[in-house]
Amino acid sequence: MATFDEKLETAHQALARGDSASAERILAHLLRSAPRHSRANELMAYVSRSRGDVEGSLRLLETATASPDASATAWYYLGDGYFRHRRLEEAANAFRRGLDVRAEFFEALHELGRVLHEQGRYPDATAAYERAIAINGQSFEALHNAGKSLWAAGR
């Protein structure tokens, strides 16, 4: 009999193969026995998002990130969901929490810069972009966005 963690890994592999139906079936079973499990909720959020259920995905990510062992990726996708819904302060906080887990997370830094720019916090946006560029100096989008924030800040 497979352990909880083995079943969770099987669900993750199913998602990686694009088999959302199998992943959903496994995750639904796991969540019945452990409804607050961070990784299981995170993976189920990806299933929900792939089906177009953005609200359901956000709820699952909120549950996943309520756990102290939430992954940086869960925080990133929660921030992305908030950003898409124009919940800017919540998005910024989620991206920051992801960076607390993994400081060198390029995508979270870049998206944090985008949120801060939207909020008119141009120096903070520029700082986030500069940190992202230090990780991936080849990102045209990060370089472009840093320039926009610098220009908006009047530097």
Side-chain angles (χ1 to χ4, degrees):
M1 182 94 182
T3 67
F4 187 96
D5 287 339
E6 290 169 338
K7 291 175 185 175
L8 193 61
E9 181 56 29
T10 300
H12 183 238
Q13 291 171 5
L15 274 174
R17 288 191 314 271
D19 185 359
S20 294
S22 292
E24 183 173 20
R25 208 170 25 261
I26 296 165
L27 292 166
H29 172 75
L30 294 174
L31 287 168
R32 279 192 291 280
S33 66
R36 314 275 319 139
H37 190 277
S38 181
R39 184 72 174 145
N41 276 286
E42 177 184 347
L43 293 176
M44 187 62 99
Y46 303 151
V47 170
S48 291
R49 189 173 178 150
S50 74
R51 285 193 326 251
D53 181 7
V54 177
E55 291 299 325
S57 177
L58 277 177
R59 282 191 302 279
L60 289 159
L61 287 167
E62 287 167 345
T63 301
T65 56
S67 172
D69 66 339
S71 74
T73 307
W75 284 109
Y76 170 80
Y77 280 108
L78 181 62
D80 181 65
Y82 286 151
F83 190 26
R84 290 172 185 263
H85 283 80
R86 309 297 301 152
R87 295 164 60 177
L88 299 181
E89 196 57 39
E90 290 167 293
N93 289 334
F95 290 132
R96 283 188 195 100
R97 293 292 302 271
L99 290 164
D100 288 344
V101 175
R102 192 168 89 212
E104 300 297 309
F105 192 169
F106 169 81
E107 291 83 357
L109 283 164
H110 183 257
E111 293 305 303
L112 176 60
R114 289 183 60 214
V115 170
L116 295 169
H117 185 94
E118 287 286 318
Q119 291 177 316
R121 298 169 57 189
Y122 306 119
D124 294 333
T126 300
Y129 289 134
E130 287 172 348
R131 282 182 58 201
I133 291 165
I135 296 166
N136 179 3
Q138 301 299 311
S139 171
F140 173 79
E141 188 175 9
L143 290 165
H144 174 75
N145 288 339
K148 284 183 6 183
S149 287
L150 281 169
W151 183 84
R155 290 205 237 167

